[in-house]
Amino acid sequence: MPEPTAGTPKADRARRRRREKVQRAAAEALLKLRRRDPPSPYRRPGEESSPVGPGEPLLRPLPTPGGLGLVKGREQHTPPRHHEEVFHASFLRSFARLGLWLWGALRFIGGLLWDRLRRRDSDERRAVRLREICETMGTTFIKFGQQLSMRLDLLPYVYTRELEKMLDRVPPFPAAEAVATIERTTGRPLDETFSAFDPNPIGSASIACVFQAVLVSGERVAVKVRRPGIGDLLAADMRALSWMLTLGEFFLLPPGFTSNFLFELRSMLLEELNFVREARFTELFRRALKKARQLRYASAPKVYSEPSGNAVLVTEFVTGVWLNEVLTAIETHDEPALARLEGMGIDPLILSRRLLLISRFGNFEHIFFHADLHPANILIQPGNRIVLIDFGSCGSFTKKELIVWRRLFDAQSLDDIGAMVQAALAVLEPIPPIDRDEFAQRLEAVFWNDFYAIKSKKSEWWERISARIWISFLKLAREFQIPMRLNTLRMIRAIMLADTIAARLDHDIDPYREYRFYEKGAGKRARKRLHKRLRRLSGRGKFVRLEQGVESALNLVYQVQRGLSSLASIRVLPLIGKAAYAVYYVAKWLFMVGGVASVAALLIQFRFFGLEPESPDMRFFEILGRQVLASGWFHLFALVMSISSARRIAYRVRDRDL
């Protein structure tokens, strides 16, 4: 293993660890010397040994151990407590936003009715109208439409495709407000953080504006500043939307839809407002790509944590060509642009494979995955290097869930449709009460239909991407009203985006073959992780793990023994006696209460006396029976008998002496 470079933090930690070993060895040697010459309790550590002088009084002051000589009462600098950012929405502001929501709904419904009158109604026109309304109604509606584009389980695919086109170029807010936010975050004037700051933003989105600047240390950086008041505005919109959806549950929406939908939507929106979370994701993904030797052609911007905070994110300023520009040059056959790409060493076929490998790495190996891999978040540098930005939307799975997803892709790469169906059902767990056999049969038919198109060499490139399978899968889940978890939707969207971009770069790419190619590199990385884990197991800590294993085994034996003892302590005959006692008193209650009710019912229809139906005697018995059933005394009798029987049965069941 190579030695760390001198002067680096890693080298400094190694030096301190070596110093700690020397100190430990010196302490052990000193302990051996003290065992030969035990220290006197009447002297300080380090003082020369001297016996207590003769004739000294018993009650006298003794020396106390010295400290560092710190001044008492001086303020200590403890780490600050973590305060979660909370956004507030007043009732009046929420009510005003409700009016805006209702106005948008009326515009959409009015346009729908107008199209029907002209017989021009279609899903495509509805989707375009929804996008245009969101774009004209302001910042939060743009972000709402963008997040709604991920809900393929709720909206038809044509809607989500249209909402993905949502314009995110919002007029910027004043630079003075950005400066105030930066100074509030850093706690110092702007000139102490930056030597240059461009007041004209290079990007203006619905959540934040991005400025370019130069740090005092000389690095050129991108400064992402959150829009002032956007959190409170989103909170007001969410409150207004909750009122609308609660009202909608009474007429159109299924019960329980409101709470789940609002929770997931609020989670997605608030995650993008938390720049501390985005900074951590960016840093972790950058480190993970550095460690993966086969993926060092990809990276993420370096994060400067000191000037960053909840509302400010400072990263290195990366340059290159945006992927959407590359796609435009390819699809429009722009010869000058293609020549410039070739001069930069950018090959669409190589980019296609690399993007798929990065996507699969995040999906199946890393602790989280980038859920928003659209072309505007991917920067291409010379030599086919890839930089991912904007980690505001990420998802993660447990080990158990990742095993299911790997099983699904393994089955897909092996053309095993039956295994794909079983893995897809496991992805949807927990599944509500539906006809699972019918759903599995329908899903298998969908998979086969799309599978034929993918395997055919005569199909168009857009028919051979896996997005067709996922769209059909989500459509069927929506038909059976199977709810989707947020991270499952993020995973499906990330897969669809990566596969579609790869196919746009290379029309002949086979996602199944590329997954098998990814498995080769993943196997090498897994072997490295396994060797590292085995070395840890065989290291000095193996005895600690061995001790833990022995304790676990002993605990398992104890639990088994305790379970067997509990089974042995169960006495069958007393249980049978208690059950018989309960059955007896239930039968007794039925006999007494039910008997009285039966007699009263017979009195109403007493015909076996041989009396005429309309005779006075028959009328007497009928009236008597009705009065008995309607009498409060009969109801009181039934209640008393019920309480008495239940009390006796309860005491008998709890009796431990039987």
Side-chain angles (χ1 to χ4, degrees), residues 570-583:
I570 297 176
R571 291 175 291 178
V572 179
L573 290 178
L575 290 179
I576 295 176
K578 292 180 180 181
Y581 187 84
V583 171

Side-chain angles (χ1 to χ4, degrees), residues 325-338:
E325 294 180 314
V326 177
L327 292 172
T328 302
I330 295 173
E331 293 170 352
T332 60
H333 304 286
D334 190 331
E335 295 299 334
L338 292 175

Side-chain angles (χ1 to χ4, degrees), residues 372-388:
D372 201 14
L373 280 176
H374 61 76
N377 287 337
I378 302 174
L379 196 70
I380 309 301
Q381 295 180 335
N384 297 303
R385 292 190 54 82
I386 300 171
V387 181
L388 304 183

Side-chain angles (χ1 to χ4, degrees), residues 264-281:
E264 293 176 354
L265 181 61
R266 186 181 293 109
S267 299
M268 288 191 294
L269 291 174
L270 294 183
E271 282 176 1
E272 295 201 28
L273 295 181
N274 190 349
F275 289 176
V276 172
R277 184 176 184 271
E278 182 178 348
R280 289 170 180 167
F281 281 153

Side-chain angles (χ1 to χ4, degrees), residues 356 360 363-364 403-424 427 446-448 450-452 454-455 463-471 473 491-492 495-496 499 510-516 518-519:
L356 281 181
R360 301 297 184 255
N363 293 340
F364 302 121
I403 290 173
V404 175
W405 279 103
R406 290 195 188 103
R407 189 181 302 133
L408 175 61
F409 272 76
D410 286 337
Q412 191 177 28
S413 64
L414 297 174
D415 303 341
D416 190 347
I417 300 299
M420 284 180 61
V421 172
Q422 296 303 318
V427 166
V446 165
F447 282 173
W448 275 117
D450 293 321
F451 181 75
Y452 296 144
I454 290 174
K455 286 298 182 181
E463 294 180 300
R464 295 196 301 271
I465 59 178
S466 63
R468 289 173 53 88
I469 289 181
W470 292 114
I471 293 168
F473 171 68
M491 181 72 150
I492 293 174
I495 294 169
M496 291 173 57
D499 290 358
D510 185 350
Y512 296 167
R513 185 173 64 246
E514 294 303 323
Y515 179 76
R516 291 192 291 270
Y518 155 76
E519 279 189 322

Side-chain angles (χ1 to χ4, degrees), residues 12 155 228 232 302 392 438:
D12 183 62
L155 296 177
D232 294 339
K302 177 183 177 182
E438 181 186 357

Side-chain angles (χ1 to χ4, degrees), residues 277-421:
R277 184 176 184 271
E278 182 178 348
R280 289 170 180 167
F281 281 153
T282 307
E283 176 203 358
L284 290 173
F285 205 80
R286 177 184 172 89
R287 286 169 50 190
L289 290 174
K290 277 187 176 182
K291 292 180 180 179
R293 183 175 300 176
Q294 298 90 349
L295 301 175
R296 288 182 179 173
Y297 50 77
S299 183
K302 177 183 177 182
V303 176
Y304 295 89
S305 57
E306 185 180 356
S308 300
N310 285 330
V312 177
L313 175 60
V314 181
T315 63
E316 84 175 290
F317 192 91
V318 290
T319 58
V321 181
W322 294 107
L323 182 59
N324 51 11
E325 294 180 314
V326 177
L327 292 172
T328 302
I330 295 173
E331 293 170 352
T332 60
H333 304 286
D334 190 331
E335 295 299 334
L338 292 175
R340 286 194 295 271
L341 290 177
E342 185 177 358
M344 298 170 64
I346 297 176
D347 189 339
L349 271 68
I350 298 177
L351 283 180
S352 176
R353 166 172 282 187
R354 289 186 172 184
L355 283 170
L356 281 181
L357 293 177
I358 296 170
S359 173
R360 301 297 184 255
F361 171 78
N363 293 340
F364 302 121
E365 292 186 65
H366 195 37
I367 56 177
F368 64 87
F369 60 91
H370 197 306
D372 201 14
L373 280 176
H374 61 76
N377 287 337
I378 302 174
L379 196 70
I380 309 301
Q381 295 180 335
N384 297 303
R385 292 190 54 82
I386 300 171
V387 181
L388 304 183
I389 66 170
D390 195 357
F391 286 79
S393 178
C394 294
S396 58
F397 287 107
T398 63
K399 291 291 184 182
K400 181 180 178 181
E401 293 169 330
L402 283 178
I403 290 173
V404 175
W405 279 103
R406 290 195 188 103
R407 189 181 302 133
L408 175 61
F409 272 76
D410 286 337
Q412 191 177 28
S413 64
L414 297 174
D415 303 341
D416 190 347
I417 300 299
M420 284 180 61
V421 172

